[in-house]
Amino acid sequence: MSQRSRASRVRQHVHCDSCYSRRCRARVEVSVCCALIPCRLHCGALFHLCKEEDHLLLCPNVRVPCLNAEYGCPRHLPRSSQAAHLQVCPASVVCCSMEWLRWPTDDTNPCSNVALQETVLQEMKGQGEPLDLATALVDQSDLYDRLKMKPLFPELIEADEEEIEDEKKEETAMGGGSVNVNRVGQVSGISKGKYDLCEMMFSMEKGGCAVAQANQDNPKPGEEVELVDEDKTGQAPWQEGVLERLGQDLTPQEYNMYVVHHGSMLLTFGKINACTPREDDFVYGSLEPIPVQTLHSFKIPDGYHYSSRRAHHYDTSRPPSEPRSVDTSDLVFKDEDCFSDEAASTLLGYAEMEVRGHKISESNAYDGLYVDVATQTHFFRAAPFKAKTTLAEVMVDRPLKLHLQLQSDRVNSRNTRANCVFTFLCGHTFHRGEFPSHFRNVHSDIQTSLSGWFEQRCPLSYLGCTYSQRRFQPSTHKATVSYDRQLRSFNLRPTLVASVGDDSQASRRGGEDSLSSLPYEVLCHMARFLDSLSLSQLALVSQLMRQVSSSLLQERGMVTLRWEKKTYSHGGAKWRAKPVWEFSHLFSSVDSWHMADIPPISAHLKVCPYYETSLHSEPVPLSGMSDTQEGSQERLSLVDHFILLILNINTAMGQS
């Protein structure tokens, strides 16, 4: 609150504190009442002179900054226009949260388009890139950037010097290293505070033990000391009868875990044997007979399952065997066949983790005794990897290959993020008024209809045919839909008819376009008819066009915050947000679509190289055309079969 405002509150009048009438006729007196005045901003309010500053806090005509001023909006407007300004505020932006799912290619599935996946990248240069292929390659690039190699292949990661130093520090902090006290009283390897804390805790424990022993040796008069033999009640591995007591107190799973953790000590103190003698081997035990009613009602005894795990160790009928190392030198293969594809192995491993919830060949423990251990060896050309290596860094020099399916699934009640593999997010930022058009045209009309409706492929694509055609065009624009892989967005490409005189005029002017010679005001007026995506691309043409596009930023653009890290000279760093003005990636709104004037897909089948007709020169008899009764080889014609069928139907109807 300003000094003037504080002074006015001190000099508040007694009458003015409770007067809210527009027709106040009180007489002006010092320290009692002041004059009644109207608002200087002409909002229509009447109030006492001492309440003028309080009125400015609520006056609808006072110019105030936008509600999104902290997010970059520079507008100052009347307070009454703040709500209406939010509809066109450049800082009122929405980030698209549309998600879709993709599965990796499955070579083992006979129904998958494996042949199309292998030949789809070899499209003809004369045709545009298919929409489903372009979106799949962009999603694959995003997926490569976020998949790291360390979670799946920790054994192939080379240790960095920083990680080794961190491990040494952790070992020293845990007490793994020796503790040496220097002259200044500091402990090398462990901080002085932690060392003193440990010494204090140890001394307290030692003092408590001494007090307990003294109380036990010298009991107070009137107290009965109950002596308990700990060797017969404790649970330590060296105590007598520990396994019998634990067998009664614990469950079988807890008992097995105790044996696993204390097995070496139990063997040392002679509580268990290293191996079970054959005469003590449990095979069936005392099992009650189970009546066999059906084949499925009989259950194999649990004791048989237990003994079958180790029965082969005592089976003398088996032929003797000895351990031998096996080598693959006798197999005929090339050295290149030993290496695995990094992309296929990584995608398969992450798919197993997402769907199954565990890694491939992960150890599985049934209880404390039996653990299924499985291993899988990978040989990669780029191994070993660094700790922060991503799949994109590994595949940077490899030939482009599609490892994701062309078809994408929507996130719905059937396909959720929990039961599917890889999820992708749109993530584009739009102005609040542009978002409905983006979601309707891009996600509802185009992206969800790529597979077979908006873009149609040859029916023989499963054999490897890469032909595709786009069936729909905007009704109000003469344009075709395309996909920009750099911008990662759909756009409309207008279909223009090139005139004959354009090339000759451009060559006379030395390559300068005729558009740049127009006045600046005319260019700004023409730029108002472009969509946001076209304005963003127009700014990349030349400096003049960049100035033309910049003149429409306040009206058509949007402002977002971009975080940057600033490092100071003293070594400190600080993150700060910087407002950035830009145009969104929204193309012109399309209200309706119509079928493109293109031949049907059946016209392509006449020239499709994968459409092979099978011609039969010899007649092929249909099923049931030969009369096999009494060994007759006589063949009936199709007309005779039809007549016999009609007679049989009439006879059956007459009998009924």
Side-chain angles (χ1 to χ4, degrees), residues 5 34 70 128 170 243 321 382 384 409 427 480 524 596 603 612:
S5 177
C34 60
E70 297 181 356
E170 292 179 359
L243 294 181
S321 60
D409 299 330
T480 57
C524 293
E612 299 178 358

Side-chain angles (χ1 to χ4, degrees), residues 47-76:
F47 45 84
H48 287 279
L49 179 61
C50 60
K51 296 182 179 180
E52 184 177 10
E53 292 189 4
D54 294 341
H55 170 72
L56 293 179
L57 300 177
L58 302 174
C59 181
N61 292 344
V62 174
R63 298 187 67 85
V64 294
C66 175
L67 295 176
N68 293 326
E70 297 181 356
Y71 297 98
C73 182
R75 291 288 302 274
H76 285 72

Side-chain angles (χ1 to χ4, degrees), residues 149 152-156 338-347 376-385 391 394-395 398:
M149 308 298 290
L152 287 183
F153 315 108
E155 68 278 359
L156 300 179
C338 298
F339 296 101
S340 303
D341 189 2
E342 291 87 346
S345 301
T346 306
L347 293 179
Q376 185 172 3
T377 307
H378 299 274
F379 294 96
F380 297 138
R381 296 181 179 86
F385 308 109
L391 185 57
V394 177
M395 303 298 294
R398 306 294 174 82

